[in-house]
């Protein structure tokens, strides 16, 4: 009788071990099938990183940051002011060599830059303005958006003075140039830049 009980126990134990082995084999088979499916998807051109929530979040942030025009993604007050100054000057048409040199000198004197750095700033600003010359005054708030908090009242006064000087290099400013200056004033007023000696 004891032998029968012992044999029954062994059979039950063996069947339990077999069941566990079947579960392990099934899990390994499922994992292998998943790996094969992912491999096939990747070979067919599917980006597996698109299923990663962390990768998706980083990509979304990147698209939000760099999906805008480069001219609207200027992080410093110097770059933003330079782009608007060059943009205002370009409203008259092509910039002459004399105008270019005058603006570079203004950048050197007022932005605390070496001559080469001022020349590079002019070139990069000119490149950014190239595709955004029409209705440029409407771009002013977007250009200033990222750097607005960097402007002190004194910097705003200097900025406006430079703008007014640049647009009168060849005589009276055009309407589009005065529109740009007016939009700069309006943008800073909306930002509550106090104690600024605004010119009427």
């Amino acid at each position: 009788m004891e032998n029968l009980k012992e044999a029954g126990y062994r059979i039950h134990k063996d069947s339990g071990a077999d069941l566990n082995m079947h579960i392990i084999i099934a899990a390994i088979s499922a994992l292998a099938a998943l790996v094969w499916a992912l491999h096939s998807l990747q070979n067919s051109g599917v980006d597996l990183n698109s299923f990663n929530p962390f990768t998706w979040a980083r990509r979304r942030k990147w698209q939000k940051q760099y999906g805008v025009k480069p001219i609207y993604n200027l992080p410093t007050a110097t770059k933003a002011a330079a782009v608007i100054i060059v943009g205002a000057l370009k409203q008259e048409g092509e910039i002459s060599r004399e105008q270019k040199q005058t603006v570079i000198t203004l950048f050197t004197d007022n932005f605390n830059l070496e001559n080469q750095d001022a020349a590079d700033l002019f070139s990069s600003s000119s490149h950014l303005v190239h595709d955004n010359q029409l209705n440029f005054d409407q771009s002013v708030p977007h250009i200033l958006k990222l750097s607005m908090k960097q402007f002190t009242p004194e910097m705003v006064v200097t900025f406006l003075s430079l703008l007014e000087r640049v647009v009168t290099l060849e005589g009276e400013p055009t309407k589009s140039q005065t529109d740009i200056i007016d939009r700069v004033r309006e943008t800073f007023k909306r930002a509550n830049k106090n104690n600024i000696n605004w010119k009427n």
Side-chain angles (χ1 to χ4, degrees), residues 75-140:
T76 67
T78 298
K79 290 180 179 179
V83 162
I84 293 173
I85 289 170
V86 173
L89 184 58
K90 277 205 168 191
Q91 299 303 304
E92 297 178 352
E94 289 302 314
I95 298 174
S96 68
R97 180 177 300 178
E98 292 76 14
Q99 288 174 320
K100 176 181 177 181
Q101 189 53 54
T102 298
V103 173
I104 290 174
T105 301
L106 290 174
F107 286 174
T108 302
D109 295 341
N110 293 276
F111 294 163
N112 194 28
L113 297 173
E114 297 294 331
N115 191 66
Q116 186 57 53
D117 293 332
D120 291 342
L121 180 61
F122 180 91
S123 297
S124 61
S125 299
S126 182
H127 177 73
L128 288 171
V129 169
H130 181 71
D131 296 324
N132 297 274
Q133 292 186 52
L134 294 176
N135 302 317
F136 188 78
D137 63 298
Q138 296 177 15
S139 297
V140 167

Side-chain angles (χ1 to χ4, degrees), residues 33 45 50 69 98 105 109 131 139 143 145 150 174 176-177:
S50 61
K69 291 182 177 180
E98 292 76 14
T105 301
D109 295 341
D131 296 324
S139 297
I143 295 171
K145 184 177 180 179
Q150 299 176 22
T174 65
S176 59
Q177 289 175 323

